[in-house]
Amino acid sequence: MKKLYFGSNLKMYKNRKETVLYLQELAELTKDISREELHLFIIPSYTSLEGAAEETDRSLIQIGAQNMCWEDQGQFTGEISPLMLKEMNLDLVMIGHSERRHVFRETDVEENKKVQAALKHGFRTLLCIGETAEEKEYGISREVLRKQLIVGFHNVSPAYAKNIWVAYEPVWSIGVNGTPASPDYAEEMHKVIKECLYELFGESGNEIPVLYGGSVNPGNANELITKESVDGLFVGRAAWNAKKFNALIRDVRKSYNNQE
Ligand code: 13P
């Protein structure tokens, strides 16, 4: 069976104690699933990161940060540097989540600086991309995704491709007011993304996993994973209860196995 990727971004939910308990429960519930077939990662808030990193069995669940500054140190009040994240021995860093881009107005150029810094410091880097509802309406989703990838990975050598993951999260699909992308639409966009990664990185671009995120739930997860270009699911709300996330992971794996 192909390795499937499952991750959750905890956003600004769960304090340190809740995060650690959630991670321990999720590790316990999923520990019988071979990690040859499952890549599981959780991205907690900054204040929970240290506890999460120290108290989680990292062979079962990888831990990542939600954001990172591109500079090692300096006059950047409120930012967290790669060196500070390195102290916590994290597995990955997420860059360019939709809420960073649209609530906090981060640009593609800034995401590129962060991607470069994260890769230089040895982090696995998860770049999130996605078009807005308006961009979709104007029929420019492909162009927007390509721009986010081309600028986001500007000056990144193919040698780093093995440390790169991409999440496709259309802005209109995320959160309580989001409408999930149909599995066919997600597949279409994942194809565009994979083609662009090949253009950017050559053969090693083919190895970059592309995850779908945005209102993933037990009703759409099974069909999404059967799509050829969907390598995994990046889940918000439907993953924040360990039992429910475990059930979703198992169901999705079953659907995937059944179609193989
Ligand atoms: P939801 O699954 O809650 O829509 O959130 C998706 C997301 O933003 C993951 O990063």
Side-chain angles (χ1 to χ4, degrees):
M1 182 186 172
K2 165 172 117 174
K3 192 169 197 164
L4 297 180
Y5 293 73
F6 288 88
S8 183
N9 164 20
L10 302 187
K11 308 194 179 186
M12 202 172 71
Y13 294 99
K14 293 193 194 293
N15 63 24
R16 181 179 163 129
K17 190 171 164 206
E18 290 162 343
T19 302
V20 170
L21 287 174
Y22 165 78
L23 286 162
Q24 287 174 345
E25 191 182 359
L26 188 63
E28 185 60 32
L29 288 168
T30 59
K31 70 178 183 205
D32 63 306
I33 305 172
S34 158
R35 266 34 184 190
E36 298 291 305
E37 296 177 359
L38 167 69
H39 206 121
L40 183 57
F41 64 97
I42 301 293
I43 308 188
S45 70
Y46 275 130
T47 54
S48 306
L49 264 183
E50 195 167 17
E54 280 171 6
E55 299 190 43
T56 305
D57 179 345
R58 309 284 280 285
S59 67
L60 296 175
I61 303 180
Q62 299 208 324
I63 302 294
Q66 296 183 6
N67 183 23
M68 190 194 83
C69 185
W70 56 81
E71 290 289 346
D72 286 356
Q73 60 176 22
Q75 299 173 90
F76 296 96
T77 303
E79 290 290 310
I80 310 280
S81 100
L83 300 181
M84 294 165 183
L85 292 181
K86 266 178 124 168
E87 277 186 325
M88 286 187 276
N89 189 26
L90 300 180
D91 303 295
L92 69 139
V93 175
M94 172 167 67
I95 305 290
H97 186 271
S98 162
E99 288 146 21
R100 297 300 320 166
R101 292 176 186 266
H102 298 286
V103 183
F104 298 100
R105 302 273 158 226
E106 290 182 8
T107 65
D108 284 328
V109 171
E110 287 165 345
E111 310 310 3
N112 177 240
K113 289 201 249 181
K114 294 181 188 204
V115 165
Q116 292 201 28
L119 290 168
K120 188 186 90 187
H121 283 285
F123 289 110
R124 173 160 289 146
T125 303
L126 170 64
L127 180 69
C128 301
I129 60 171
E131 81 282 9
T132 63
E134 191 182 32
E135 289 161 343
K136 180 170 184 275
E137 193 88 345
Y138 279 106
I140 56 168
S141 303
R142 288 168 184 71
E143 288 77 1
V144 170
L145 297 179
R146 285 180 56 80
K147 174 172 169 275
Q148 290 175 342
L149 290 169
I150 293 166
V151 180
F153 291 126
H154 180 68
N155 271 344
V156 171
S157 137
Y160 284 115
K162 61 180 183 317
N163 259 352
I164 293 172
W165 295 351
V166 170
Y168 169 55
E169 299 199 290
V171 181
W172 43 271
S173 74
I174 297 176
V176 277
N177 300 318
T179 315
S182 72
D184 285 342
Y185 183 81
E187 171 67 10
E188 222 180 297
M189 294 305 125
H190 277 231
K191 280 216 169 88
V192 171
I193 293 166
K194 286 190 177 252
E195 277 165 23
C196 187
L197 291 172
Y198 180 75
E199 278 172 38
L200 290 172
F201 299 116
E203 284 298 325
S204 33
N206 289 340
E207 305 303 316
I208 298 176
V210 183
L211 285 66
Y212 171 79
S215 293
V216 172
N217 64 67
N220 62 13
N222 293 358
E223 200 186 335
L224 280 162
I225 206 67
T226 60
K227 295 294 170 188
E228 195 190 332
S229 313
V230 176
D231 301 308
L233 300 173
F234 192 31
V235 192
R237 289 155 296 152
W240 297 339
N241 171 297
K243 288 186 187 64
K244 289 187 180 159
F245 195 24
N246 171 54
L248 185 140
I249 292 169
R250 285 176 192 276
D251 255 26
V252 166
R253 281 172 39 84
K254 211 182 285 166
S255 303
Y256 186 82
N257 281 339
N258 286 344
Q259 51 117 43
E260 265 203 330

